Amino acid sequence: MKRMKRFWKRLAAAAVSGAMLVGTYAGTGATAGAEDAETDANFAKALQYSMYFYDANMCGTQVSETLRFSWRGDCHTYDSQVELSTSATNLSEEFLTENASILDPNGDGYIDVSGGFHDASDHVKFGMPKNYSAATLGWGYYEFRDAYVATGQDDHIETLLRYFNDYLMKCTFLNEDGEVVAHCYQVGDGDIDHAYWNAPEIDDMDRPSYFRRRTSRRPIT
């Protein structure tokens, strides 16, 4: 128990230190690129490398043309074809029938929830961690934009934020009045995914989609 407490204290300290490093660098007004800094504490490289985590976890049909890693490629492309059924989603037959034109505007019998990011090297796409990550990255860029520009990382962070937001908008289904009818908050089954370790590009396991849906009383349940 004591070892676990020490571990979590160290983890929390590391997270705070990382945030302080970015903040410290942002306040210096330095103009060196990530590969140019010559000090032992290379804050520019730390900022650059921290974003590579999201490149490594990018998912969907546009991975190969978006990220900065040559060893990653498109994966889970079949997330774009989630069957409009009770077996592939947690939605009722009644809800699917009533909202088919919203969930499946192409009328091909599928729901498109491709894109986004895997969760911490798993292959499931969890909505809440993803939403938090997107908000944190966006706020950091808003507060410390000068540091990103000075190190040439503004284009990279904007690419990541755009990929986040494109996915979140895709997973939010609106009716003709602009009201949220359903939101896909998870793609993939954690119990299945966590029991099998492989590259996302060759992953072909079932990936059910989970939705919060609108009811008569509340917009989203």
Side-chain angles (χ1 to χ4, degrees):
M1 182 64 71
K2 290 183 179 180
R3 289 182 178 179
M4 287 300 295
K5 288 183 178 179
R6 287 198 297 269
F7 169 78
W8 286 114
K9 285 182 180 180
R10 290 177 180 175
L11 186 61
V16 172
S17 298
M20 291 178 65
L21 288 178
V22 175
T24 301
Y25 179 79
T28 63
T31 58
E35 64 282 345
D36 297 330
E38 307 226 347
T39 61
D40 291 334
N42 191 333
F43 301 131
K45 184 171 286 188
L47 177 61
Q48 180 189 45
Y49 281 15
S50 69
M51 287 186 285
Y52 284 156
F53 171 83
Y54 298 96
D55 289 88
N57 282 285
M58 193 174 286
C59 180
T61 60
Q62 298 179 313
V63 173
S64 57
E65 62 190 74
T66 303
L67 52 65
R68 298 191 171 189
F69 289 150
S70 60
W71 49 269
R72 278 297 323 277
D74 294 351
C75 65
H76 302 115
T77 58
Y78 54 97
D79 286 352
S80 65
Q81 292 188 314
V82 176
E83 289 185 3
L84 198 69
S85 68
T86 56
S87 59
T89 73
N90 64 333
L91 297 171
S92 68
E93 190 67 46
E94 179 183 4
F95 185 86
L96 290 169
T97 300
E98 181 181 350
N99 297 281
S101 62
I102 298 173
L103 298 169
D104 174 26
N106 296 327
D108 59 2
Y110 298 107
I111 307 172
D112 183 1
V113 288
S114 60
F117 296 83
H118 302 137
D119 182 73
S121 297
D122 297 329
H123 294 165
V124 181
K125 297 187 293 193
F126 291 112
M128 290 303 292
K130 195 186 312 294
N131 294 343
Y132 178 82
S133 297
T136 301
L137 286 176
W139 189 255
Y141 185 46
Y142 175 80
E143 289 285 350
F144 306 114
R145 184 184 298 266
D146 290 347
Y148 285 90
V149 173
T151 56
Q153 299 304 310
D154 50 318
D155 178 65
H156 192 185
I157 188 65
E158 288 177 10
T159 296
L160 295 175
L161 290 172
R162 188 176 297 109
Y163 207 82
F164 264 113
N165 285 291
D166 285 347
Y167 177 73
L168 294 174
M169 288 189 291
K170 177 183 289 187
C171 288
T172 304
F173 299 87
L174 309 177
N175 62 19
E176 58 184 11
D177 296 321
E179 300 170 328
V180 177
V181 171
H183 178 74
C184 181
Y185 67 87
Q186 180 178 328
V187 179
D189 186 324
D191 290 334
I192 298 174
D193 179 85
H194 296 169
Y196 186 61
W197 186 264
N198 69 342
E201 289 82 1
I202 62 172
D203 191 2
D204 60 357
M205 65 182 65
D206 289 338
R207 290 171 65 80
S209 298
Y210 301 90
F211 294 78
R212 296 287 187 183
R213 63 184 181 84
R214 182 186 183 190
T215 65
S216 58
R217 293 185 178 182
R218 299 171 58 189
I220 291 289
T221 60

